[in-house]
Amino acid sequence: MENFKQLCYDNKVILAPMVRINTLPMRLLALDYGADIVYTEELIDHRLIKCSRHVNDTLQSIDFIDKSNATVVFRTCSREKLHVVLQIGTSDPERAAKAAQVVEQDVAGIDINMGCPKDFSLKGGMGAALLSCPDKACTILSAVVSAVSIPVTCKIRVLPDINDTIELCKKLATTGIAAIAVHGRTVKERPNHPNRNHFIKAISEALDIPVIANGGSKEIETFEDITKFKNITGCSSVMIARTAEKNCSIFKRDGKLELGTIIRDYLHHAVDYDNVAPNTKYCIQNMLRNIQETEQGRHFLESTSLQQICDLWDVGDYCREKTKTMNCLRFEERDIACN
Ligand code: FNR
């Protein structure tokens, strides 16, 4: 019975992990538009381990809070429970296992980031640093697989040599992971370099577990392009980052929506889950890009609160009403706690 409920990584269209972008509102938006699985942004094991789990009755969410600075490190809700994969940044098997256990009951899967090329990750022995320490990478994966009862995956970048990459993937697959996501660029390559789709194809042919193709955003403009990317890479599942960051409705089978509708849909989720204004603004900025030059764009750049942002996209009344209701609920909760 337990296995029946486990997340399956075959034939899926997936929102790829993106720092700051993939907070709860964006993940819910991707699910609304048709994504099957949504990854969180990378969360570092040290931060997760410090968190305590809090059921937020006002928002109907589960919050993982770092009490030392009262910040919500990870917010989730029942709507995404069977679809959300939490990505951990780690360099240590024990810490990775503990971090995975902190969130295990509230997510569908755990992913280990083995592809991040940023200095912060590399210096800490995390992300792509693990690609050059395959034994350590395997120890981390084995530790997490043993520690939790939900599926575990990892996301890698390719190595410069195709055969070395296949060997690495085969080794990682022996740890009991449920799938492996492959970004077809090396650590040194930047987004404008061509994605090595033939590497991904060779890996998917060599492995028995699902391989998730990633790195195709430059060629993905429509839903049909997702199918093309699937065919070129020989994978049954595809993971999309930059195209979804700009236009999350890429997941819609029946065609993309115009930006105003996407932003309004996004803002409804941001209001429902009290997403902080700076994060909301950042995500919208990444959708608007150069359209920020318009009058509305200029007002947007000056906005500092969720209410101000919502007012610009005709979601102002919804935000005001919802905020009122939430404040009432918070007072009620406080009263109950005091009595
Ligand atoms: C990323 N990427 C990324 N990868 C990862 O494993 N963990 C992360 O937290 C992030 N964060 C992140 C933020 C932003 C803004 C971008 C654009 C990308 C990499 C991403 O998941 C993906 O591997 C690459 O962008 C290639 O896929 P696309 O963009 O071609 O679909």
Side-chain angles (χ1 to χ4, degrees), residues 122-166:
L122 298 180
K123 284 186 184 142
M126 300 183 288
L130 292 169
L131 298 176
S132 41
C133 311
D135 289 334
K136 190 180 186 188
C138 285
T139 315
I140 291 174
L141 291 176
S142 300
V144 181
V145 168
S146 309
V148 297
S149 59
I150 52 175
V152 178
T153 56
C154 64
K155 177 168 174 282
I156 66 158
R157 278 174 176 252
V158 295
L159 301 175
D161 179 80
I162 192 164
N163 292 318
D164 291 347
T165 316
I166 295 169

Side-chain angles (χ1 to χ4, degrees), residues 226-237:
I226 298 177
T227 312
K228 278 189 209 152
F229 186 52
K230 242 165 60 163
N231 294 340
I232 291 170
T233 55
C235 293
S236 73
S237 293

Side-chain angles (χ1 to χ4, degrees), residues 28-321:
L28 293 176
L29 192 66
L31 288 175
D32 287 350
Y33 290 157
D36 301 300
I37 299 175
V38 290
Y39 277 54
T40 66
E41 58 181 333
E42 177 194 54
L43 296 166
I44 305 299
D45 55 6
H46 284 291
R47 286 185 84 198
L48 282 168
I49 289 166
K50 281 199 278 177
C51 286
S52 44
R53 181 179 185 274
H54 170 70
V55 179
N56 186 328
D57 290 323
T58 307
L59 300 180
Q60 302 280 300
S61 63
I62 309 284
D63 298 344
F64 290 85
I65 297 173
D66 179 348
K67 287 211 168 125
S68 67
N69 54 11
T71 48
V72 178
V73 172
F74 172 53
R75 170 166 287 161
T76 185
C77 65
S78 59
R79 160 86 171 93
E80 68 166 358
K81 187 174 173 187
L82 300 177
H83 307 274
V84 65
V85 172
L86 183 132
Q87 188 186 62
I88 300 177
T90 187
S91 63
D92 179 79
E94 246 180 72
R95 271 203 315 272
K98 270 194 206 153
Q101 285 172 336
V102 169
V103 294
E104 178 183 4
Q105 72 177 103
D106 298 299
V107 299
I110 296 289
D111 183 73
I112 304 296
N113 185 347
M114 298 191 176
C116 181
K118 299 255 165 73
D119 262 4
F120 163 79
S121 286
L122 298 180
K123 284 186 184 142
M126 300 183 288
L130 292 169
L131 298 176
S132 41
C133 311
D135 289 334
K136 190 180 186 188
C138 285
T139 315
I140 291 174
L141 291 176
S142 300
V144 181
V145 168
S146 309
V148 297
S149 59
I150 52 175
V152 178
T153 56
C154 64
K155 177 168 174 282
I156 66 158
R157 278 174 176 252
V158 295
L159 301 175
D161 179 80
I162 192 164
N163 292 318
D164 291 347
T165 316
I166 295 169
E167 283 319 302
L168 172 70
C169 290
K170 281 186 177 166
K171 194 173 162 87
L172 296 173
T174 61
T175 60
I177 51 173
I180 182 165
V182 182
H183 177 184
R185 293 187 180 84
T186 65
V187 178
K188 292 217 167 109
E189 286 171 340
R190 300 279 65 92
N192 58 334
H193 285 102
N195 203 49
R196 299 178 188 221
N197 294 338
H198 59 296
F199 277 46
I200 303 179
K201 189 167 200 293
I203 297 163
S204 75
E205 281 163 5
L207 297 196
D208 295 329
I209 55 170
V211 174
I212 304 164
N214 175 239
S217 269
K218 262 175 79 182
E219 281 82 43
I220 298 176
E221 283 282 323
T222 64
F223 195 84
E224 289 70 46
D225 295 334
I226 298 177
T227 312
K228 278 189 209 152
F229 186 52
K230 242 165 60 163
N231 294 340
I232 291 170
T233 55
C235 293
S236 73
S237 293
V238 169
M239 177 183 259
I240 305 166
R242 286 164 299 160
T243 301
E245 176 191 26
K246 280 183 249 160
N247 188 326
C248 191
S249 69
I250 185 67
F251 294 109
K252 277 178 80 64
R253 268 79 175 160
D254 55 354
K256 288 194 289 190
L257 300 171
E258 56 94 23
L259 205 51
T261 307
I262 299 166
I263 293 174
R264 275 190 289 282
D265 289 348
Y266 173 81
L267 281 171
H268 278 95
H269 288 308
V271 169
D272 287 348
Y273 289 99
D274 202 14
N275 204 50
V276 290
N279 181 257
T280 305
K281 191 168 173 177
Y282 178 76
C283 291
I284 296 177
Q285 265 170 332
N286 281 290
M287 296 183 212
L288 287 174
R289 299 189 169 234
N290 47 7
I291 310 174
Q292 287 176 67
E293 300 305 320
T294 63
E295 171 99 27
Q296 189 186 32
R298 276 192 293 279
H299 284 305
F300 170 64
L301 286 179
E302 286 159 14
S303 63
T304 54
S305 69
L306 193 54
Q307 183 64 58
Q308 283 171 338
I309 301 171
C310 287
D311 283 334
L312 291 170
W313 274 280
D314 296 331
V315 190
D317 288 345
Y318 183 77
C319 184
R320 250 178 300 279
E321 281 309 307

